[in-house]
């Protein structure tokens, strides 16, 4: 027991569960639990990090003008609208804390990104989860119906983690028509590079057209910088000022800033890798469909298996085959698209489990 008085409401908060790491073993093991990019960093990105590693005795430049300018140019937005964070999960936190406190409500689809309810509760605000449809997609009419006078923020995760489903541009436009303008609508596009749906919304375009849209992007997934921690939000300039106020001072390292710039410069090369992962996703989904599986169509770098009550048993079979999945007991599990060998191992395990 410690005599320190903690906030009593924290006792009800589940800790964030990271993707399970492989246990020590002499068999090959594949970590398909954290939606990480299986490719090693590009040489140009490593060079950028190495070039700045001699400066780590100094604090990073808080304003990060070079990285902000590179992102603003890439997205065609004003630098005043770009906010950096230590991963886009920090932007999610900044947005919640800049808008919401005790008594305020934040709406999100469920199941979606685990950090939403956690960071909403950590800010003292009230999480309002709205169940996904039977197709594991956002139920936008139900989300609109959940709006009250206390609503401050609504998260749309597109594609949705962990189900990979997407919303259509038309559905988002009708949804936005029902949302009062003082409520911030966050389009979390952590997996946007993997999304080949042609009927989907473009978050940055929505940001330009609506006064209450904030878009979040990350360098962790398609760009493979999960270990360096850098992401960004695009927000109306006065909101961006508020988000920066909520940022952890010096949270984005110099190495992360310059790795992000190098990644934007190498975007064409990175896109080739993304396309390989999309092809691997399609091949994996097709192989499963041929075997009789019916799964939600994923537009991200992972697939969702709604095993329901059999989820933990299925995760165990996968683990016996060296495949570490992200299991949500009673609901389903998520498998990241990894190396070709990893997908072969996953398919062997899934054959053993049997199509459903
Ligand atoms: C991975 C992920 C993020 C952010 O990851 P960071 O590493 O913090 O940038 C944000 N949203 C969703 C839905 C994610 O899956």
């Amino acid at each position: 027991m410690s005599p320190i008085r903690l906030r009593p409401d924290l006792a009800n908060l589940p800790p964030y569960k990271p993707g399970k790491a492989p246990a020590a073993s002499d068999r090959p093991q594949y970590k398909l639990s954290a939606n990480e990019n299986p490719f090693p960093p590009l040489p140009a990105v490593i060079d950028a990090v190495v070039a700045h590693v001699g400066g780590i005795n100094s604090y990073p430049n808080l304003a990060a003008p070079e990285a902000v300018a590179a992102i603003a140019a890439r997205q065609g937005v004003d630098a005043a609208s770009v906010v950096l964070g230590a991963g886009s999960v920090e932007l999610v936190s900044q947005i919640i804390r800049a808008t919401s406190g005790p008594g305020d409500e934040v709406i999100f689809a469920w199941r979606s990104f685990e950090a939403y309810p956690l960071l909403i509760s950590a800010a003292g605000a009230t999480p309002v989860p709205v169940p996904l449809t039977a197709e594991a997609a956002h139920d936008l009419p139900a989300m609109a119906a959940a709006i009250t006078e206390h609503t401050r923020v609504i998260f749309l995760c597109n594609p949705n983690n962990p189900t990979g489903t997407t919303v259509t541009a038309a559905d988002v436009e009708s949804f936005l028509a029902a949302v009062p303008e003082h409520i911030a609508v966050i389009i979390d596009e952590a997996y946007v590079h993997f999304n080949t749906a042609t009927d989907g919304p473009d978050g940055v375009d929505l940001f330009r057209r609506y006064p209450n849209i904030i878009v979040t992007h990350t360098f962790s997934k398609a760009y493979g910088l999960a270990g360096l921690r850098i992401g960004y939000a695009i927000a109306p300039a006065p909101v961006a000022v508020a988000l920066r106020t909520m940022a952890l001072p010096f949270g984005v390292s110099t190495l992360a800033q310059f790795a992000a710039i190098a990644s934007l410069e190498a975007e064409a090369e990175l896109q080739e890798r993304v396309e390989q992962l999309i092809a691997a996703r399609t091949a994996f989904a097709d192989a499963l469909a041929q075997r009789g599986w019916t799964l939600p169509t994923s537009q991200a770098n992972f697939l969702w298996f709604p095993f329901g009550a059999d989820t933990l048993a299925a995760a165990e079979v996968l683990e016996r085959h060296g495949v570490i999945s992200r299991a949500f007991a009673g609901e389903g599990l998520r498998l990241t698209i990894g190396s070709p060998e990893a997908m072969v191992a996953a398919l062997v395990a899934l054959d053993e489990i049997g199509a459903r």
Side-chain angles (χ1 to χ4, degrees):
M1 283 289 278
S2 159
I4 295 171
R5 275 195 211 164
L6 297 171
R7 269 167 51 187
D9 60 309
L10 293 191
N12 307 320
L13 274 187
Y16 184 84
K17 287 200 209 89
K20 200 169 169 184
S25 162
D26 34 21
R27 296 176 302 142
Q29 295 218 71
Y30 308 105
K31 186 184 174 203
L32 303 186
S33 56
N35 296 344
E36 289 154 338
N37 195 313
F39 292 99
L42 288 177
V45 172
I46 293 182
D47 288 349
V49 170
V50 170
H52 289 92
V53 86
I56 59 172
N57 54 317
S58 299
Y59 282 108
N61 184 335
L62 197 61
E66 300 92 343
V68 166
I71 291 163
R74 165 68 180 80
Q75 298 293 354
V77 298
D78 207 89
S81 283
V82 176
V83 186
L84 299 185
S88 67
V89 73
E90 197 211 333
L91 276 317
V92 169
S93 169
Q94 290 171 23
I95 292 163
I96 294 167
R97 288 180 299 115
T99 53
S100 312
D104 297 329
E105 297 173 354
V106 180
I107 297 173
F108 52 97
W110 197 249
R111 184 169 277 280
S112 186
F113 188 34
E114 278 183 285
Y116 300 151
L118 187 64
L119 295 172
I120 295 161
S121 301
T126 304
V128 180
V130 175
L132 296 171
T133 64
E135 290 74 41
H138 281 56
D139 187 341
L140 293 175
M143 292 178 79
I147 294 171
T148 72
E149 60 179 308
H150 304 292
T151 306
R152 292 290 172 270
V153 181
I154 303 173
F155 282 97
L156 300 184
C157 187
N158 191 50
N160 186 46
N161 174 10
T163 59
T165 52
T166 52
V167 290
T168 67
D171 287 350
V172 171
E173 302 262 1
S174 333
F175 172 75
L176 289 173
V179 179
E181 283 184 352
H182 66 275
I183 297 175
V185 177
I186 317 309
I187 320 267
D188 182 339
E189 293 189 328
Y191 301 97
V192 65
H193 294 84
F194 301 102
N195 187 353
T196 58
T198 49
D199 61 355
D202 172 341
V204 179
D205 171 58
L206 290 177
F207 159 79
R208 286 197 195 90
R209 292 172 35 230
Y210 289 83
N212 57 331
I213 296 276
I214 304 176
V215 183
T216 57
H217 282 189
T218 177
F219 286 91
S220 296
K221 308 285 164 56
Y223 289 176
L225 296 186
L228 271 180
R229 315 304 305 130
I230 181 163
Y232 61 93
I234 298 176
V239 177
V241 171
L243 300 189
R244 288 187 206 105
T245 308
M246 292 293 127
L248 194 67
F250 307 112
V252 182
S253 71
T254 305
L255 304 186
Q257 293 175 25
F258 284 94
I261 296 168
S263 298
L264 291 174
E265 284 167 357
E267 218 174 2
E269 216 175 324
L270 287 164
Q271 191 54 33
E272 284 171 28
R273 294 170 158 200
V274 166
E275 255 134 51
Q276 286 184 48
L277 290 169
I278 292 172
R281 172 184 82 203
T282 307
F284 189 54
D286 287 351
L288 289 166
Q290 273 168 20
R291 289 157 153 86
W293 291 81
T294 50
L295 300 172
T297 301
S298 172
Q299 290 291 352
N301 65 337
F302 51 79
L303 251 53
W304 173 245
F305 296 79
F307 282 119
D310 301 332
T311 297
L312 295 186
E316 255 178 57
V317 175
L318 282 156
E319 204 165 331
R320 255 200 286 114
H321 289 270
V323 178
I324 317 294
S325 64
R326 182 75 178 89
F328 301 97
E331 293 177 58
L333 63 78
R334 188 190 69 200
L335 276 182
T336 306
I337 303 301
S339 64
E341 314 83 76
M343 299 334 284
V344 169
L347 208 50
V348 171
L350 290 163
D351 280 345
E352 186 178 320
I353 293 165
R356 53 188 77 205

